[in-house]
Amino acid sequence: MRIPIITLTVILASVLIAVALPKLLGQTEMRNRMARIGVSASLTRVIGALEVAGIAGLLLGLLWWPVGVAAAAGLTLLLIGAAVFHVRAKDPVPMAVVPVAFAVAAAALAVLHVLAN
């Protein structure tokens, strides 16, 4: 059961860091993309910080599974929120489906942690 947990953790952390850092650092292109769906620059940075904290939690969860469960659950909620913002902005369906897919993966990771312990 450990290999799926490690694999899913690495995949989620790798994908999320690619979107979290531009938000956290206030990259212009990311600020513009977020503004288009109704997210302010300050909230964009908060979301980036939450994503980075979630990534750290996922990685720490490899050492202490309750942290991994909490991080995966938090990221699941954050990603569902992202999908809601994309739907409200009337983005194309794939733009809303991507965060949902990663939310499902994060939820699956939380379940895997619980089942393994």
Side-chain angles (χ1 to χ4, degrees):
M1 184 76 77
R2 205 67 191 134
I3 291 174
I5 290 171
I6 292 168
T7 303
L8 198 48
T9 296
V10 169
I11 291 169
L12 282 170
S14 299
V15 170
L16 291 174
I17 198 70
V19 295
L21 286 180
K23 290 175 192 160
L24 184 61
L25 298 174
Q27 183 185 53
T28 303
E29 182 181 329
M30 183 58 78
R31 276 196 330 258
N32 293 341
R33 287 173 55 194
M34 296 294 281
R36 192 187 60 69
I37 64 171
V39 180
S40 69
S42 60
L43 183 55
T44 297
R45 284 208 162 135
V46 169
I47 292 168
L50 290 171
E51 289 171 340
V52 169
I55 293 163
L58 291 180
L59 295 173
L60 286 172
L62 294 174
L63 301 174
W64 192 39
W65 71 271
V67 175
V69 172
L75 286 168
T76 299
L77 295 174
L78 191 65
L79 289 161
I80 290 169
V84 168
F85 270 84
H86 283 292
V87 168
R88 284 187 11 201
K90 297 183 179 14
D91 278 342
V93 172
M95 294 291 287
V97 170
V98 169
V100 169
F102 284 104
V104 169
L109 180 57
V111 170
L112 286 173
H113 272 297
V114 171
L115 292 176
N117 292 291

